[in-house]
Amino acid sequence: MFMSRCTLVILNKMRQALWLCLLCGCSSQQVFLSRAQVIPAKINALQQQLQQQGYDVTVINVAPPYKLTQPLLIKSPLLFDDAYINGIVRAIQQQGYATVDVISMQTAQHFYNGYNVGLYLPPSFSINMPVVMQTDNCAGQYMVLQTDADTHNFTLDRGDEYPLLKGNYSLNAQGNGTLSTQNTQMLFKLVRVPVSTWAGERQADKLTVTAQTSSLLPEHCSFITIYDGSPP
């Protein structure tokens, strides 16, 4: 039995619709957020940020295609909706990431169709106080800060002209901490940063005093530890 011309037209349109669906992922709009090598707090914060802005988020455990130093968004080569992508990028930036890499690719592990995208964050490191730090920028003064991870005590050697400053410290997962003595308290921020050395670029932990109840140290005094190999 021969098909009518109308039936053939309908079938052709159905085939075209199915082909477009296979290429573009139909109408699905999912942000697949990978938790691989990232602390849960960062994943939860970004997931909530995206959901508050109307994005449907699914958390996965897939490693990024290469080592990351900043967030990576993977999209289909056929996705050209800049407003959609820029909205996701802005949400990431609101979590403190200055730059986001956006690439188009489809591989076995990173295959995203239509408006589905993959989102990968750089690996988190465990924030710990370095055992020894020396002044990095402290109005020309040289001092040494030593800490004990077991007791959470610290000693600050300010040179022969001053007595040793001793006390205890606290540090949270975001790198915010406190150096406390009987008479004073200093707030600080601990971050990991790349630094240039004579041997090339190295990773370093940098502690910057952000506030203090008495002026024991110059304003914004900072301490640093530079690692020769991989940081702990």
Side-chain angles (χ1 to χ4, degrees):
M1 182 180 294
F2 293 100
M3 295 185 183
S4 68
R5 182 176 180 181
C6 181
T7 302
L8 288 172
V9 170
I10 292 173
L11 288 174
N12 284 334
K13 289 188 176 296
M14 289 177 63
R15 291 192 190 99
Q16 291 173 4
L18 178 60
W19 179 244
L20 288 173
C21 184
L22 291 172
L23 285 176
C24 301
C26 302
S27 59
S28 178
Q29 296 187 16
Q30 287 270 336
V31 176
F32 291 92
L33 174 60
S34 177
R35 60 181 174 85
Q37 302 177 11
V38 183
I39 59 175
K42 290 189 175 183
I43 295 298
N44 294 339
L46 181 53
Q47 181 180 10
Q48 292 175 10
Q49 181 77 46
L50 289 165
Q51 289 173 336
Q52 288 173 1
Q53 297 187 15
Y55 295 97
D56 193 0
V57 181
T58 298
V59 177
I60 59 175
N61 187 24
V62 177
Y66 53 83
K67 185 177 180 180
L68 302 181
T69 57
Q70 56 198 27
L72 171 67
L73 189 151
I74 300 178
K75 68 179 186 68
S76 164
L78 299 177
L79 177 56
F80 302 105
D81 191 336
D82 290 339
Y84 178 72
I85 295 299
N86 290 339
I88 299 174
V89 169
R90 284 193 296 271
I92 301 170
Q93 291 173 333
Q94 288 171 2
Q95 292 298 310
Y97 298 99
T99 306
V100 181
D101 287 335
V102 179
I103 64 172
S104 299
M105 65 178 290
Q106 287 180 326
T107 64
Q109 276 196 313
H110 309 96
F111 194 95
Y112 302 101
N113 277 341
Y115 279 76
N116 294 332
V117 298
L119 184 53
Y120 304 83
L121 298 181
S124 304
F125 66 93
S126 178
I127 298 180
N128 297 301
M129 284 288 282
V131 177
V132 180
M133 307 186 81
Q134 67 180 29
T135 43
D136 175 54
N137 182 10
C138 202
Q141 298 184 37
Y142 178 78
M143 292 176 277
V144 177
L145 176 66
Q146 294 180 283
T147 65
D148 187 321
D150 294 327
T151 63
H152 277 219
N153 291 334
F154 78 88
T155 300
L156 180 61
D157 186 347
R158 296 177 290 168
D160 296 335
E161 298 180 5
Y162 302 95
L164 289 176
L165 189 65
K166 297 183 178 182
N168 56 74
Y169 73 88
S170 62
L171 178 66
N172 65 21
Q174 287 71 48
N176 299 308
T178 305
L179 298 172
S180 301
T181 69
Q182 290 183 341
N183 302 316
T184 189
Q185 189 176 73
M186 292 175 281
L187 305 182
F188 66 83
K189 179 71 174 180
L190 180 66
V191 297
R192 181 154 294 169
V193 295
V195 296
S196 296
T197 71
W198 63 271
E201 186 174 279
R202 295 289 185 267
Q203 292 295 307
D205 283 334
K206 184 174 181 178
L207 182 153
T208 302
V209 176
T210 57
Q212 49 187 326
T213 55
S214 60
S215 301
L216 281 176
L217 301 178
E219 188 175 359
H220 303 303
C221 183
S222 62
F223 297 80
I224 196 167
T225 293
I226 300 174
Y227 300 101
D228 288 332
S230 298

